[in-house]
Amino acid sequence: MIESTTQTNQQSPRSIALKKAILDAEYSICAERAVIWTDYFKNKANQQKPVDIQIAEALARVLREKSITIYPDELIVGNFSSKRIGGSIYPELHGFPVLLDLFKFTTRKVNPLKVTKQERKQLLKTMPFWTFRFLGMKAFKGIGNKIRFLLSQLKSTEYVINETGGIAHFAPDYEKLVNYGIKGILAEAKELQTKHEQGSEKWNFYESVKIINTAMIDFGARYSKEALQLAEKEQSTERKNELITIAEICKNVPLNPAKNLQEALQSIFFVQIAINLESLDNGISPGRLDQILFKFYEQGITSGELNREKAKDLLSAFSVKFAELIPILSKQITEYHSGLMSGQVICVGGKNADGTDSTNELSYILLEIMQELGLRQPNFHARIHNNAPAEYLDKIFSVLSSGYGSPALYNDEIIPEALQLNGYSPDDAGNYTPVGCVEPTVPGKSFASTDAALFNVISVLEKAIYSKSNFDSFESLLSTFENQLKLKFNSFISDMHAIEKANHKFHPTPLSSSFIEGCISSGTCSTGGGAIYNLSGVQCVGAADAGDSLYAIKKAVFDDKTISYSELISELKSNFKNDQIRKQLVKIPKFGNDNQGVDEMTMYVAGTFSKILNEYTNYRGGKYVTGLYSMTTHAYFGKITGALPSGRKKGVSFASGISPTNGADKSGPTAMFNSLNRIDYTKFPNGVNLNVKFNKQTLTGEIGKNATKALVKTFFKRKGMQVQINVLDPDVLIKAQKDPDSYPNILVRVSGYSAYFNDLTVEVQNELITRRKH
Amino acid sequence: MDRPTPYIFDIQRFSIHDGPGIRTVLFTKSCPLKCKWCQNPESQKSKPEVGFYFENCQDCNKCVEICPTNAIDPITKISNYAACIACGACVDICENDARRMIGQKMSEQEIITELLKDIDFYSDSEGGITFSGGEPFIYPEFLGGILKELKKQKIHINIETCGQFDFEKVANILPFIDLIYFDIKHLDSQIHKEYTVIANETILSNFGKLITVFENIQVRIPLIPNVNDDKEHIKAVCDFLLKKGHKLVHLLPYHSMGNSKAIRIDYKAEIFKVKPHTKEELNKIKSQFSEFGINPITYD
């Protein structure tokens, strides 16, 4: 170990200043990408080109023409958009529907976004071109089918297909980037291209890789020039020198291998920006930065060029930049994904392939940064295993007790196993990093479209319940449910295939492909199955509500016979006219209370979902796998769903992720964890999200910290998969809801990501206020 | 063997303030003391009783009508303890969760099953099981049976006692116990009786006997303003402890939570009202303990 990990550093003035600039910035829409993209595609000559070339050239133009800014105090430069905090419009993807909201963005209640008059005008002008040309339209044949799909997504009741906005959610091979530079990728593509006939599909793919990577080099050079210009005008010698260094660095990277920590971070950030501009789907994750960057840290310390403080300042200046990106979503899609989350994961710690511990000084520095920044992004995660150092765990729980909900915790004792069961090699599985919200993937090798879709399992359960006026037995109801699920999956998968194919056909991703092993060697785009691993993740939303409902039917109708089936149906339809029946149903045990009977029902629902889904293969040749996290769709689907046999009334939010339904875990956290340990997590390789709330008093102080640490230790020893811990003071949240302006920066953990309380829909806010706390 | 068994009024999991680590606390009913400031007034009586959650009551009177012994006051809806046979009819009929049974019989096996549910958490947190009450030591045979089973799993056991028990019987089960929280309320027997209903001779003599045979005792004093917080009494406590060779005391500052619980079982309950100590007062009390040679520990 190079320096003591117990060293406590104060947050640097630079870090404080950069954080403040972020907290003070407005959320805005940037028109640049949409305008340039539209301009490129309107050009008749461009329309004749192969699609790979089109995307590469369009993105290259964005990188060459977009405005660039270097903000005060920055050490790592590069701007996602023309705004300090901003997002782009991807008209070819979410296109027309999002543009329809142009007049609503500034005034809408949830996640209002600023858009200047001029930019609104520019964006309006792009609209007509994309009306029938965006991906959701192109994916389906026949106007009826197009409209059916569009409506099903705009007012989704059964499933939300996120791939309509492109495919991303992966951890690019940043290790390759910092070690070989863009130069390395270009050389590889050039050499392989010669083996193919000009104009062939593979030749075109290599051409697109060349075009976009060449643009990456120019992108760096633009910042180099900008930094030099700023340096000339700069009064302070100190800042002048910083700018000159930045100028030199941006000349060298991303073109060349990084020579030091700052170059590595800068190189990564340039690519991070560009990949985010390629597709809308988010979740572009740097992943295990403590592992990728440690050699640069070590070299710098040894050579004397770097010290711990300086390294931390660099990493802090780098991390802060991730909060500058927000996704621009329509009002409707915001219901599914509120909180403006862009899913950029940075992960620390974990086990090496040989079973030894991998934490290093950078893991600790990044943990300190999580605590100091407390920003919405990046999405910070920590890997834990049975032999994780006590010091590391101690630090994690100290950071958690400060109340920002970061890092979320991941279990090395189960996740690699789950990945191996789904085709990953042991070495690759051991190198996993979560991406997006909570989804484990392998950096540089997976194109696992982990956020492909979210599926409302309750919609199928309702179909089963209402399909007959009575059932002979509980088993017969279950088999009806399974049949309905298979039936629904058939049409769902067919929609998925159409969208996945459309992504390949109309929106290939040559830049993403450059950073995923397998794509360049095979000459196949990531959207076409070029990656080593090609899974797609579908989230089962509402499993706990479905389990609670099935168990209530089993107990009340079939075992105890206190309610007849027809009586139950009429009560559900009337949203419990008879409150006594509802109370009776509410009293039946619920998931999360260490009651085996009901816990098994939730396992049955999620397990059945996983088993049936697993039988399908996606367009890219990988398996569909199940995840148990819900973004904010549990609130949305709940809002549009009628009363349920669990006693849940119409419109009430479903349970989030794999957490018990709101307020149902009345027996405390140990009982809840016992219930959650009944789940076999290898069935959910796409990741799960367990959101646990603690009262501030519980977690503060040594006693509370140790108790929480022990809870997680037991949960993980018994092969729990993931947990995130919110430390909340409900009184403060209630005040914040009433008077948002006085409480602007309350960071909370939602479905696997952090968001500011004020950025959430009322339903999700209420969930945070009322969800049972321990 | 037929042993006297207590009614259980709560089993609290994930308790982190009743001994080390994560613990499950078993609360038994019945206590020989009736402290005026009692935090668990529903634990004092030995039989089950019905708690009334008036905020949920919709005044439907169904409980009054169904009560076989007419024990429920038609206006206040509070059960008369003497007349109530704790049959639970009113609890079952109440649709609004306004009536809850306090105290239920559980078999030894049921209790053990419940207590073992969190065994994994005990071992990972170095926690265990705490028996509280009421007064658990008035059921030594019952405790012995359960503790023997729990000890097979090497679980850390803590007992919270008021000190009023039959020492000879409790001595038999001491080998199964790892820690005892021993409460001392007042050293003046007369005052003790005034506030707790009984004199303190047995308690003090039990402490003297216990400390010679049992190592891990934690002395706890509920600090009650104007009852046992004066310097003279503090000195008496310190002298007593020092004489017994004990140098540490845990101070439990008074708070008024017990009051709100008391009126759920007896609306005529005499409300004990004193102003909780301020931080400054607590610091002063602590320094007095230190001055007299005892190391005081307080909790926030």
Side-chain angles (χ1 to χ4, degrees), chain A residues 583 594 670 674 714 717-718, chain B residues 13 95-96 118 120 124:
Chain A
K583 279 179 179 151
D594 202 359
T670 52
N674 282 350
T714 305
K717 241 167 111 173
R718 299 187 308 198
Chain B
R13 294 162 75 174
E95 292 166 10
N96 305 304
D118 285 348
D120 295 340
D124 285 336

Side-chain angles (χ1 to χ4, degrees), chain A residues 470-706:
Chain A
N470 200 3
F471 286 91
D472 312 336
S473 64
F474 182 62
E475 287 66 35
S476 131
L477 170 64
L478 292 186
S479 74
T480 307
F481 167 69
E482 283 177 41
N483 288 334
Q484 293 283 355
L485 195 59
K486 283 177 192 163
L487 219 64
K488 192 35 68 188
F489 273 168
N490 281 335
S491 57
F492 164 64
I493 297 293
S494 136
D495 278 354
M496 289 289 288
H497 272 239
I499 291 293
E500 286 161 352
K501 189 177 170 190
N503 265 289
H504 185 210
K505 230 172 116 186
F506 304 114
H507 207 286
T509 44
L511 183 61
S512 299
S513 300
S514 307
F515 296 95
I516 300 169
E517 197 180 318
C519 295
I520 294 193
S521 58
S522 69
T524 310
C525 180
S526 52
T527 53
I532 307 269
Y533 302 111
N534 287 293
L535 312 181
S536 285
V538 178
Q539 283 40 272
C540 171
V541 180
D545 293 84
D548 287 350
S549 292
L550 283 170
Y551 190 65
I553 297 176
K554 180 176 184 293
K555 289 293 278 183
V557 178
F558 293 99
D559 293 355
D560 303 345
K561 300 188 170 55
T562 49
I563 307 172
S564 74
Y565 196 80
S566 57
E567 210 176 343
L568 176 72
I569 297 288
S570 88
E571 281 306 311
L572 294 181
K573 285 184 175 162
S574 71
N575 193 23
F576 296 112
K577 222 161 65 192
N578 182 342
D579 202 48
Q580 202 183 346
I581 290 188
R582 191 180 92 85
K583 279 179 179 151
Q584 203 183 322
L585 292 167
V586 168
K587 274 188 188 162
I588 295 171
K590 303 287 178 255
F591 175 69
N593 290 290
D594 202 359
N595 176 305
Q596 187 153 359
V598 62
D599 292 351
E600 272 170 3
M601 274 299 138
T602 296
M603 290 188 283
Y604 161 79
V605 172
T608 305
F609 187 99
S610 159
K611 200 177 108 211
I612 300 176
L613 182 72
N614 224 230
E615 288 163 13
Y616 293 91
T617 304
N618 67 20
Y619 170 80
R620 302 187 314 284
K623 270 203 254 180
Y624 285 106
V625 289
T626 302
L628 296 172
Y629 69 92
S630 51
M631 305 291 295
T632 55
T633 56
H634 59 281
Y636 166 74
F637 284 137
K639 199 156 95 175
I640 58 161
T641 302
L644 289 178
S646 60
R648 172 198 155 282
K649 289 185 92 169
K650 183 179 167 179
V652 174
S653 174
F654 296 155
S656 155
I658 192 58
S659 309
T661 56
N662 245 345
D665 49 327
K666 294 185 176 165
S667 317
T670 52
M672 188 197 68
F673 280 119
N674 282 350
S675 288
L676 282 150
N677 273 125
R678 293 206 166 97
I679 293 171
D680 173 4
Y681 290 96
T682 60
K683 290 179 179 160
F684 309 102
N686 200 50
V688 305
N689 172 226
L690 172 63
N691 216 342
V692 184
K693 288 200 309 185
F694 285 93
N695 260 335
K696 214 164 182 152
Q697 294 90 320
T698 313
L699 198 61
T700 42
E702 249 349 77
I703 292 178
K705 196 174 96 178
N706 287 335

Side-chain angles (χ1 to χ4, degrees), chain A residues 353-528:
Chain A
D354 63 0
T356 56
D357 180 66
S358 78
T359 51
N360 59 44
E361 198 57 31
L362 290 184
S363 325
Y364 291 90
I365 290 176
L366 284 164
L367 283 167
E368 286 164 22
I369 289 172
M370 292 175 206
Q371 186 164 14
E372 289 171 0
L373 291 184
L375 292 169
R376 201 181 60 244
Q377 287 279 311
N379 194 4
F380 280 118
H381 296 318
R383 286 176 47 167
I384 290 179
H385 58 95
N386 286 352
N387 300 315
E391 202 181 359
Y392 173 68
L393 295 176
D394 238 31
K395 191 121 194 170
I396 286 175
F397 283 88
S398 296
V399 176
L400 280 171
S401 64
S402 67
Y404 290 133
S406 283
L409 309 176
Y410 292 79
N411 190 4
D412 283 8
E413 306 301 336
I414 182 74
I415 291 172
E417 187 184 332
L419 291 176
Q420 280 183 58
L421 285 171
N422 284 278
Y424 284 88
S425 79
D427 274 1
D428 285 347
N431 189 33
Y432 82 91
T433 176
V435 300
C437 295
V438 300
E439 311 95 275
T441 61
V442 175
K445 292 188 180 183
S446 296
F447 193 63
S449 189
T450 59
D451 200 30
L454 298 124
F455 192 103
N456 176 8
V457 75
I458 297 287
S459 69
V460 176
L461 180 69
E462 279 189 310
K463 274 210 176 81
I465 289 173
Y466 290 116
S467 68
K468 285 190 198 169
S469 55
N470 200 3
F471 286 91
D472 312 336
S473 64
F474 182 62
E475 287 66 35
S476 131
L477 170 64
L478 292 186
S479 74
T480 307
F481 167 69
E482 283 177 41
N483 288 334
Q484 293 283 355
L485 195 59
K486 283 177 192 163
L487 219 64
K488 192 35 68 188
F489 273 168
N490 281 335
S491 57
F492 164 64
I493 297 293
S494 136
D495 278 354
M496 289 289 288
H497 272 239
I499 291 293
E500 286 161 352
K501 189 177 170 190
N503 265 289
H504 185 210
K505 230 172 116 186
F506 304 114
H507 207 286
T509 44
L511 183 61
S512 299
S513 300
S514 307
F515 296 95
I516 300 169
E517 197 180 318
C519 295
I520 294 193
S521 58
S522 69
T524 310
C525 180
S526 52
T527 53

